[in-house]
Amino acid sequence: MTVRSTIPAPMSGAPAAPAPAAAAAGAGGGVGVGLGGSALGRAWSDIEAAVLLVTCLPLEQRLAEAGLPETERLTRCPKCGQKLLANHHAVLCDACEASPPPWTALVTLGPYADPLAPIVREIKNRPWPELADRTGRILGQRLAARLTAAGVHGPLVLLIPVPTSRLRILYRGIDHPAAIARGMCRGLRELHAEATSPSGNLTAYLAPLLSRRWRWRQAGLAAWRRKENVQGTMTPPRLGGLTGRFVPTLSARIARKVAQARQQGRPVVAVVVDDVVTTGATAREACRAGRAALSQQGISVRLWWVASVARADLPSV
């Protein structure tokens, strides 16, 4: 949460008084949210509002006031999230009918507009993971609800973040898809810990299987150019040198859990995690590379989903 200091300016020559520390998440909300829905958390939120002159509402409250996460609507394609025409009678859009994406469903919190657009920009451009963690927790809860609604009960979920090039991580100071995925993992585990959770025996694990070569940003490119720009850029991480390669493996513990889930008849779901989905070109490449990385380890996953914070509509031109 961003707060405005009420401490008067120090006299000339006197040492400056420290201002109250602003929360690293900025748009992510205040300390009260971090304390949960307890009486102490609510009391601290009241103190923030009355004394510290709150300038930004908590993340959960901002999303709730905007009607997010939005309810499922039949006016959008369930695979890519693009709008369907009023006279469109098929379940999928024309693009997905012609070339079906390699995932079952797309899960988002809403459109790439206020309040999600500034939240996504802050997640990407500030080196603090708190806002990504909180947003990921909400997205994880959304994913659990969608899986339950789709009849996928008690799954083992592998969260595969869309990789970011090392150059962009160095420039931004954060691997934002990985930070969102970590928040989703924590949110799903919190649901699993609740005895009354409708998601049942859901377990989640982070699976950062991929690396990415640098290419131009996808933003602003035409649909065909986006596909060409990202094609073949995701591979298992490089160890270093010209020929050295490191093939990532799931930890022995996660591999055992996957084997146990299959023996118990539980579904295994791979979920590609990103910040924004527009044409789906990046998600397609991540699914392709993720399948290849898992198959190298003898793991075959049939159910693939995509989860992103926001969904951007294609230009109408």
Side-chain angles (χ1 to χ4, degrees):
M1 167 173 302
T2 306
V3 296
R4 185 184 299 113
S5 173
T6 56
I7 300 176
M11 294 183 298
S12 176
V31 177
V33 175
L35 296 174
S38 64
L40 178 60
R42 290 191 295 270
W44 185 254
S45 295
D46 293 340
I47 293 175
E48 285 181 324
V51 179
L52 300 181
L53 302 179
V54 176
T55 61
C56 185
L57 294 176
L59 174 64
E60 290 81 354
Q61 186 174 345
R62 293 174 64 192
L63 295 180
E65 291 184 355
L68 301 174
E70 64 181 5
T71 57
E72 294 305 309
R73 293 181 293 175
L74 299 178
T75 56
R76 290 191 175 274
C77 176
K79 288 212 170 191
C80 69
Q82 293 301 318
K83 293 180 180 178
L84 298 176
L85 299 177
N87 58 352
H88 192 88
H89 301 293
V91 177
L92 303 179
C93 65
D94 292 338
C96 290
E97 287 282 358
S99 178
W103 58 82
T104 302
L106 169 68
V107 180
T108 69
L109 297 182
Y112 186 67
D114 288 337
L116 284 179
I119 291 174
V120 169
R121 288 193 293 267
E122 185 167 349
I123 289 174
K124 293 176 67 171
N125 297 314
R126 293 197 178 184
W128 299 310
E130 182 180 354
L131 181 56
D133 182 85
R134 291 186 178 183
T135 306
R137 288 171 187 259
I138 298 173
L139 185 57
Q141 296 169 4
R142 176 66 166 169
L143 172 65
R146 287 287 306 276
L147 287 170
T148 301
V152 183
H153 300 289
L156 185 146
V157 179
L158 297 176
L159 298 170
I160 304 176
V162 168
T164 303
S165 69
R166 281 181 272 184
L167 183 61
R168 286 203 170 91
I169 294 175
L170 182 63
Y171 175 74
R172 292 172 174 163
I174 187 172
D175 185 350
H176 59 284
I180 295 169
R182 281 191 290 270
M184 291 181 65
C185 195
R186 294 187 182 100
L188 290 171
R189 289 176 178 176
E190 290 171 359
L191 284 178
H192 173 62
E194 297 177 3
T196 58
S197 173
S199 58
N201 191 28
L202 184 151
T203 51
Y205 299 94
L206 187 65
L209 297 174
L210 305 174
S211 67
R212 187 174 185 175
R213 296 196 303 272
W214 182 88
R215 291 286 178 86
W216 294 108
R217 295 174 63 243
Q218 294 283 79
L221 299 180
W224 66 270
R225 187 70 179 88
R226 286 170 177 260
K227 180 179 179 180
E228 183 181 84
N229 188 54
V230 78
Q231 190 170 12
T233 59
M234 300 183 193
T235 59
R238 294 181 181 275
L239 180 62
L242 297 177
T243 59
R245 294 184 65 80
F246 169 70
V247 179
T249 59
L250 296 177
S251 68
R253 175 172 173 267
I254 297 178
R256 287 196 303 269
K257 293 294 185 180
V258 171
Q260 292 174 5
R262 294 194 184 281
Q263 293 174 358
Q264 297 168 359
R266 296 171 54 199
V268 178
V269 184
V271 180
V272 171
V273 181
D274 203 359
D275 56 345
V276 181
V277 168
T278 306
T279 64
T282 302
R284 284 176 183 263
E285 173 65 14
C287 286
R288 179 204 64 77
R291 286 180 187 273
L294 289 174
S295 66
Q296 290 179 5
Q297 305 166 49
I299 299 175
S300 176
V301 178
R302 184 172 56 88
L303 293 176
W304 286 75
W305 285 50
V306 172
S308 70
V309 177
R311 175 202 63 249
D313 292 328
L314 290 171
S316 57
V317 294

